[in-house]
Amino acid sequence: MILAAAAIAFTACTKPTPEPEPTPEEANTFQITVSDITATTASVAVTPSDNSVLYYFDILSAENYAEFADDAALMTDYVDYFEELIDIYGQYGYDLTIADFLSQGADDYDFEGLSAETTYYVVAFCFDSTYTPAGSVTKQQFTTLAVQNVSLSFQLQTTDTAIFFVPNDDKITYLYDYDDADTLAALLTNNDMTAPQYFQALWEYVESMYSAYGYTLDDFAAQGTLYLPYLDEDGEAVLEAGHKYVFMAQAYTGGVWNSDFVSYEFAAPANSAAPAVNVKGKLNTQMRLKKAKKINKSDINVTRK
């Protein structure tokens, strides 16, 4: 009886081991606001509950988000991505660390180049003082709008140095190409294709070639006036004198063709001895990206592709 009572008394006096207090990173929450949503853009504002913590935010399509088994896998993938960029840009003299990618306090970013009618998640998560992800991922869903169809046309203006292709609206984004008229006609006949079918097949091929590098066709789309000089920078003829060519274009926005296909036949001048011009918007036989995929240290928070 005495031993039993002593045992009961001892048990009653023993205090349970307290649960460890969550770290600021683990206890932090985020308020995420998505505004000004269009077919290809969205503005994201993130406010943490604790302004002292470091964190990162980005957007992922729902399809990409579903590829991760859990929050830990997603956060680890981002850390691997940061370390890869640190290594790449270190080769060009950028002394970056993971801290250069992170936010502190309220932050916002205007995301561009999104796909139309696509569900995205804004994701946000904390880092501790060792720049290791901590806590869980907070996410906010939104869906981009549909692309509006536009009417696209061009005026061809000939000068002594070049042919200019002037769109009816400088705000329309479009893909373009030009080909020798006889070569194009033979290609369409031999492959039983129409010009619009050939044009879209051409850009599908370009997309397949560059998708592995993170590019979409929106990265190749142009805006405003293009020009085709008669001579290149070395003084060599760009066009065969007196020969016929076909310029082709179609509006492309947010992963969607959003205008009718248009084409215009033009002829190279019989005498093209004038020097080449040097202005923006040159139409070249090589596909050129409209923007470089690089990260500026002053604006490190960019969308992953």
Side-chain angles (χ1 to χ4, degrees):
M1 292 289 289
I2 294 174
L3 291 175
I8 294 173
F10 179 78
T11 302
C13 293
T14 301
K15 294 182 179 180
T17 302
E19 293 292 331
E21 292 292 329
T23 65
E25 295 82 12
E26 293 171 334
N28 185 74
T29 59
F30 294 98
Q31 179 182 340
I32 299 174
T33 303
V34 185
S35 60
D36 299 327
I37 300 171
T38 71
T40 59
T41 63
S43 297
V44 174
V46 180
T47 303
S49 59
D50 186 338
N51 287 330
S52 70
V53 302
L54 297 171
Y55 67 95
Y56 184 77
F57 72 97
D58 195 7
I59 63 174
L60 294 171
S61 70
E63 180 180 5
N64 287 343
Y65 180 82
E67 295 175 359
F68 296 98
D70 50 30
D71 287 356
L74 184 147
M75 292 186 288
T76 297
D77 187 73
Y78 270 101
V79 171
D80 292 342
Y81 170 66
F82 297 155
E83 292 176 345
E84 179 183 351
L85 291 177
I86 289 169
D87 180 62
I88 292 172
Y89 284 91
Q91 300 175 31
Y92 296 93
Y94 288 88
D95 186 19
L96 299 180
T97 68
I98 289 180
D100 292 304
F101 295 84
L102 306 183
S103 299
Q104 189 172 28
D107 200 0
D108 59 80
Y109 193 80
D110 296 327
F111 291 93
E112 300 177 346
L114 309 182
S115 297
E117 297 184 90
T118 301
T119 298
Y120 287 90
Y121 287 111
V122 181
V123 295
F125 54 94
C126 294
F127 283 74
D128 62 22
S129 58
T130 66
Y131 305 119
T132 302
S136 58
V137 175
T138 299
K139 66 179 186 293
Q140 174 69 46
Q141 178 180 310
F142 72 95
T143 302
T144 49
L145 304 181
V147 171
Q148 300 298 311
N149 287 332
V150 296
S151 176
L152 178 65
S153 61
F154 289 84
Q155 288 186 343
L156 276 59
Q157 300 176 359
T158 302
T159 70
D160 292 338
T161 58
I163 299 174
F164 287 77
F165 302 85
V166 184
N168 60 308
D169 187 340
D170 284 343
K171 295 181 181 180
I172 295 176
T173 56
Y174 58 89
L175 295 170
Y176 62 89
D177 185 39
Y178 82 94
D179 285 291
D180 175 273
D182 292 339
T183 301
L184 177 62
L187 185 151
L188 298 180
T189 299
N190 294 338
N191 292 276
D192 193 23
M193 301 176 72
T194 64
Q197 289 173 334
Y198 161 75
F199 183 79
Q200 292 193 9
L202 166 69
W203 283 105
E204 287 174 2
Y205 171 75
V206 172
E207 185 174 41
S208 69
M209 292 293 292
Y210 286 92
S211 61
Y213 301 97
Y215 293 101
T216 69
L217 290 188
D218 285 301
D219 297 310
F220 294 85
Q223 278 184 313
T225 299
L226 299 170
Y227 81 95
L228 183 61
Y230 302 144
L231 303 178
D232 62 20
E233 290 83 354
D234 298 322
E236 299 293 330
V238 173
L239 303 174
E240 184 179 346
H243 209 69
K244 291 183 179 181
Y245 295 86
V246 178
F247 172 78
M248 298 170 284
Q250 191 168 2
Y252 190 87
T253 307
V256 178
W257 298 103
N258 61 312
S259 79
D260 291 335
F261 169 84
V262 295
S263 64
Y264 302 88
E265 188 173 280
F266 63 95
N271 181 12
S272 56
V277 292
N278 184 23
V279 297
K280 292 181 179 180
K282 179 178 177 181
L283 181 65
N284 199 292
T285 53
Q286 295 179 342
M287 306 302 180
R288 293 188 175 183
L289 303 181
K290 72 172 183 179
K291 59 184 178 182
K293 292 290 182 180
K294 66 178 182 179
I295 295 178
N296 298 317
K297 192 171 182 180
S298 61
D299 190 13
I300 203 74
N301 187 22
V302 296
T303 309
R304 296 184 66 195
K305 291 291 186 181

